[in-house]
Amino acid sequence: DVPDRLFCSLPESWRSCSNEMTDVRELTPELFSLPECLLNLSNLDFGVRQDGRRVDGVELPPWATDAYHFMHEHRLVLESAAVSATLHRWVDLIWGTKQTGS
């Protein structure tokens, strides 16, 4: 694939899927448990995007000090009372009666 299509920025992905109806993303379990999935530990060459930025590790939100801090906070939110109280709505939206296919 081309560098511009690779997942390389959490802030950009959040902006895109929050504002563009055609952008649908899936949060894989690794985004809650494996900080290394956000790092380029093998120093692979993923290329350069059209804007000149080299694709390396995933860009984190400004509040995250590193991938380990991000993962810790992300996991805390997933396991919070607020998420537990509303998770059934998400399950129903994805697999239940609120799924319309449109």
Side-chain angles (χ1 to χ4, degrees):
D1 215 339
V2 297
D4 288 289
R5 291 175 38 104
L6 296 176
F7 169 60
C8 61
S9 170
L10 281 163
E12 177 58 27
S13 294
W14 173 257
R15 185 212 54 77
S16 181
C17 70
S18 296
N19 297 310
E20 299 174 21
M21 295 298 292
T22 58
D23 190 347
V24 180
R25 310 275 174 136
E26 179 181 344
L27 292 176
T28 62
E30 291 81 6
L31 285 172
F32 296 95
S33 60
L34 188 65
E36 292 81 8
C37 76
L38 302 172
L39 306 171
N40 184 7
L41 296 175
S42 297
N43 295 315
L44 299 174
D45 183 3
F46 293 114
V48 179
R49 296 173 54 146
Q50 290 181 24
D51 63 7
R53 291 184 295 161
R54 176 160 292 287
V55 178
D56 194 27
V58 175
E59 178 188 359
L60 301 171
W63 54 263
T65 56
D66 58 29
Y68 299 94
H69 177 238
F70 172 81
M71 200 65 57
H72 177 263
E73 296 299 314
H74 204 207
R75 185 74 177 255
L76 284 177
V77 172
L78 174 67
E79 297 173 350
S80 71
V83 170
S84 294
T86 58
L87 190 58
H88 67 282
R89 293 181 186 155
W90 176 82
V91 170
D92 192 38
L93 178 64
I94 301 302
W95 291 290
T97 60
K98 293 183 181 173
Q99 184 183 42
T100 63
S102 50

